[in-house]
C-alpha cells in the first residue's frame, strides 16, 4: 500500500487545516487508517484512527473534540480535519494504514503500518 499525503502548512492559533491521505495498492478501503504526529524531540504518537467500515473511530485525548477523522472509500482517501489549532499541535503529521491485514480494529499499532511521507504542520501563537 502506498500513501500520499497533502495539506498541512502554516496556521495561527484557532485556525483550521485539513490533511488528506490517498492510498493505492492492496485493499486500502478495507484497512484501518490513521494519523500520527511527531513533534521535534518527541515520540511519534497516534492521534486518530478509523476502521475500514468507518464504524469505529479512535482519538487521542490531546485532539478529542478538535480533530475529526473521516474516509471516502470510493476515493481511497482519508482525512484529518483539524480545528481550534494550538501551538502544541506543531509537528510532522504522518498518515498510516494497517499492514497486518484488512478489517482490523483501531487503534493502529506503532510499528505495523504503511506510512505516508509526512507533512509539516506549524501553528503560531
Amino acid at each position: 500500500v502506498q500513501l500520499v499525503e497533502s495539506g498541512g502548512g502554516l496556521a495561527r492559533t484557532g485556525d483550521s487545516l485539513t490533511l488528506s491521505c490517498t492510498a493505492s495498492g492492496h485493499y486500502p478501503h478495507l484497512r484501518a487508517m490513521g494519523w500520527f504526529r511527531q513533534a521535534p524531540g518527541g515520540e511519534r504518537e497516534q492521534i486518530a484512527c478509523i476502521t475500514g467500515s468507518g464504524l469505529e473511530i479512535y482519538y487521542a485525548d490531546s485532539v478529542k473534540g478538535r480533530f475529526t477523522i473521516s474516509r471516502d472509500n470510493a476515493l481511497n482517501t482519508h482525512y484529518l480535519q483539524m480545528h481550534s489549532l494550538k501551538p502544541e499541535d506543531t509537528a510532522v503529521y504522518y498518515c498510516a494504514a494497517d499492514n497486518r491485514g484488512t478489517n482490523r480494529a483501531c487503534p493502529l499499532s506503532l510499528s505495523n503500518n504503511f506510512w505516508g511521507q509526512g507533512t509539516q504542520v506549524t501553528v503560531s501563537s
Side-chain angles (χ1 to χ4, degrees), residues 48-51 54-59 68-70 106:
C49 174
I50 185 168
T51 54
L55 296 178
E56 181 184 352
I57 291 176
Y58 160 86
Y59 293 107
T68 301
I69 189 170
S70 61
C106 287

Side-chain angles (χ1 to χ4, degrees), residues 6-7 44 59 69-70 79 92 117:
S6 61
R44 190 170 296 192
Y59 293 107
I69 189 170
S70 61
Y79 307 92
V92 178
Q117 77 276 17

Side-chain angles (χ1 to χ4, degrees), residues 9-112:
L10 300 176
R12 294 182 181 273
T13 298
D15 282 353
S16 298
L17 286 175
T18 297
L19 307 181
S20 301
C21 179
T22 299
S24 60
H26 293 286
Y27 310 113
H29 61 291
L30 298 178
R31 297 182 185 272
M33 300 284 193
W35 292 93
F36 291 70
R37 69 183 181 186
Q38 189 166 15
E43 296 183 351
R44 190 170 296 192
E45 63 166 335
Q46 182 171 185
I47 56 173
C49 174
I50 185 168
T51 54
S53 66
L55 296 178
E56 181 184 352
I57 291 176
Y58 160 86
Y59 293 107
D61 288 343
S62 57
V63 305
K64 199 173 294 183
R66 300 188 298 122
F67 291 10
T68 301
I69 189 170
S70 61
R71 66 189 296 159
D72 185 336
N73 283 340
L75 299 177
N76 287 332
T77 299
H78 70 286
Y79 307 92
L80 186 69
Q81 296 176 289
M82 305 183 291
H83 302 291
S84 303
L85 284 164
K86 305 174 181 180
E88 51 263 44
D89 294 318
T90 295
V92 178
Y93 284 69
Y94 298 90
C95 67
D98 198 331
N99 72 8
R100 297 171 295 174
T102 58
N103 298 310
R104 297 187 69 94
C106 287
L108 299 175
S109 71
L110 182 59
S111 56
N112 297 311

